[in-house]
Amino acid sequence: MAANSSTSDLGSRKYVHWNAPGVEKVPPGEAEDVQAIADMINTMQKAQYNNHRHMYGGTHARTQGIVKGELVVEEVPPHLAQTLFSKPAKYPIAMRYSTEPGDPALDDRIPQPRGLGMKVFNVPGEMFEVGKDFDTQDIEFNSTPALELADAKTTKEIFELRIKYGGNKEELYKHLEARKDTELQKSRDEVPNIHLESTRMYSQTAYRYGDYVAKYSLVPSSETQKKLYNEVVKPDSHPDHILSDWLKEFYANHEAEYLFQVQLLENLDDQPVEYAGAAWDEEKYPWQTVGKVVVPKQDSFIPVRKAFWEDHVRMDPWHGLKSFQPLGSPNRLRRVIYPASSELRRQINGRRQINVTDIKQIPDGGFIDV
């Protein structure tokens, strides 16, 4: 939790209700922008298919490792006892570490945002229609606290530039530098390129948190993980697959532990929900711990597990509890583009989607039985 002069009053603060006026404001023309973005995502997927002769997701195409562990929810104060964290419990989880862009061959030595997708199993509660038959909660994380694709309008503009100038960084930067959000757009190329086990992960966007609204975060908390913060990728001496190598070496010798924290919405002027391009001030609005993730020693890069996840599994924050509803423009965008990306991927690869309901369905070895 961030240092704060008045953290003792966290239980008595006036947190904004998730469906209060102004939390979500859908701008005119958003639906048209979203459909245009879905089409562009498919265009980018097809371009990668031409390179690799296999279809991947439009984003987070490079798998760095997949592990199994446990989400431990402990007793928390009443204002934090919400949704998935409403009472003490233990849930099996599977987590996939990834690199954010849509190229599965992207060199690890190139600084880019990293991602983490978590599937939580055996979750009780009312689910959204798309996942009502599957008691799982999908939770997505990214290594940057702010999202440069801050809303649907911005996403459309940036994707247009990436499709047109993606192969020419100098030309792309000329157009990015003409924008008012230049610093935000260029920040993805300047993120620290460090060991994944020392990387703090963020939701970037806002979610319903039971009665309230929150962003969430995973904080590496073991001493072993903290010591790895200074482990920086060296382009001149490390191989292009260094991140997955480091991850595999770590899990062969250590268990991982993360704090699961939330940052609650108190002031819409300071903490916008519709625009995800700015982190919420953690001094004013402190992170609060609601649980922990524990991952034991294991092989983090099992080829059959990687193939199963990439070809059959779908991560989608709209697969989950209504009390954990994704909020804001970037999440309304995901509600359309994730199914569109997945559908094209299954169609081209000739693979069917498997809605995993038991962690044992994620293979530990052998062959994929579908």
Side-chain angles (χ1 to χ4, degrees):
M1 185 186 297
N4 190 280
S5 59
S6 183
T7 56
S8 61
D9 68 339
L10 292 175
S12 59
R13 293 193 183 190
K14 293 183 178 179
Y15 298 112
V16 177
H17 200 274
W18 73 274
N19 62 356
V23 170
E24 288 195 288
K25 297 179 181 178
V26 182
E30 184 180 80
E32 291 77 10
D33 286 344
V34 167
Q35 185 54 55
I37 294 162
D39 294 340
M40 284 189 278
I41 286 277
N42 285 166
T43 296
M44 291 187 281
Q45 287 178 277
K46 291 173 183 176
Q48 292 300 333
Y49 178 78
N50 287 336
N51 290 333
H52 305 289
R53 288 298 186 261
H54 192 80
M55 181 71 71
Y56 292 86
T59 58
H60 297 276
R62 185 174 178 86
T63 298
Q64 302 293 1
I66 302 171
V67 295
K68 296 180 179 180
E70 191 173 56
L71 172 62
V72 181
V73 178
E74 299 170 339
E75 189 169 355
V76 294
H79 72 288
L80 297 176
Q82 307 282 333
T83 185
L84 184 63
F85 303 89
S86 61
K87 61 183 180 180
K90 293 182 179 180
Y91 301 99
I93 61 168
M95 304 196 308
R96 174 181 178 257
Y97 297 85
S98 64
T99 292
E100 187 190 272
D103 181 0
L106 186 65
D107 194 320
D108 286 354
R109 295 169 296 191
I110 299 173
Q112 285 291 284
R114 314 299 176 185
L116 190 151
M118 178 190 295
K119 277 193 174 289
V120 185
F121 296 90
N122 308 334
V123 174
E126 185 180 3
M127 300 286 177
F128 280 102
E129 182 67 23
V130 69
K132 66 181 178 62
D133 297 324
F134 319 111
D135 57 350
T136 58
Q137 175 69 55
D138 289 1
I139 307 179
E140 294 186 323
F141 302 85
N142 192 285
S143 62
T144 61
L147 176 61
E148 85 279 3
L149 304 175
D151 53 29
K153 179 178 182 294
T154 302
T155 303
K156 180 184 176 185
E157 294 169 352
I158 296 303
F159 276 9
E160 286 173 341
L161 292 175
R162 289 181 186 175
I163 289 174
K164 191 170 183 179
Y165 304 112
N168 186 335
K169 186 173 181 178
E170 183 178 350
E171 190 65 27
L172 175 63
Y173 265 43
K174 285 182 182 178
H175 290 271
L176 294 182
E177 287 165 359
R179 296 178 55 88
K180 292 181 179 179
D181 61 352
T182 300
E183 185 176 344
L184 175 65
Q185 296 305 327
K186 293 169 67 174
S187 64
R188 64 179 294 109
D189 296 327
E190 300 165 359
V191 295
N193 203 5
I194 60 176
H195 199 298
L196 288 170
E197 277 308 309
S198 67
T199 302
R200 182 169 183 167
M201 295 287 182
Y202 302 86
S203 68
Q204 300 182 313
T205 58
Y207 289 77
R208 178 182 175 183
Y209 187 74
D211 292 336
Y212 306 122
V213 177
K215 290 186 177 182
Y216 52 77
S217 176
L218 272 188
V219 185
S221 57
S222 76
E223 290 305 313
T224 306
Q225 289 165 277
K226 293 176 184 177
K227 290 176 183 177
L228 292 173
Y229 188 78
N230 295 321
E231 195 79 54
V232 178
V233 173
K234 300 174 183 176
D236 295 335
S237 58
H238 285 141
D240 62 1
H241 44 78
I242 185 62
L243 293 180
S244 55
D245 287 354
W246 276 349
L247 202 63
K248 189 176 178 72
E249 179 183 10
F250 176 89
Y251 275 115
N253 297 289
H254 307 283
E255 75 169 23
E257 185 174 292
Y258 297 86
L259 300 180
F260 198 117
Q261 298 186 331
V262 296
Q263 187 182 28
L264 297 179
L265 175 64
E266 299 181 53
N267 185 325
L268 276 166
D269 292 332
D270 276 357
Q271 301 170 277
V273 170
E274 289 294 333
Y275 181 80
W280 294 353
D281 188 331
E282 61 183 66
E283 293 297 323
K284 285 185 178 180
Y285 314 107
W287 291 99
Q288 304 179 61
T289 299
V290 294
K292 66 180 180 180
V293 167
V294 179
V295 185
K297 297 179 185 179
Q298 60 192 278
D299 185 348
S300 67
F301 203 93
I302 301 172
V304 68
R305 185 182 289 177
K306 172 183 178 293
F308 178 81
W309 194 293
E310 290 179 347
D311 280 351
H312 298 284
V313 175
R314 173 176 156 200
M315 282 293 305
D316 188 335
W318 289 93
H319 279 189
L321 295 164
K322 288 187 175 181
S323 60
F324 212 72
Q325 177 181 330
L327 299 172
S329 183
N331 281 321
R332 292 193 298 272
L333 171 64
R334 288 168 174 162
R335 197 171 196 175
V336 174
I337 66 170
Y338 279 20
S341 170
S342 178
E343 182 179 354
L344 180 64
R345 185 155 46 115
R346 314 304 173 197
Q347 180 184 26
I348 297 299
N349 291 337
R351 303 288 191 269
R352 64 182 177 88
Q353 180 173 305
I354 297 176
N355 293 298
V356 180
T357 57
D358 189 320
I359 197 168
K360 294 178 181 178
Q361 292 174 262
I362 299 174
D364 298 320
F367 297 88
I368 299 173
D369 184 14
V370 296

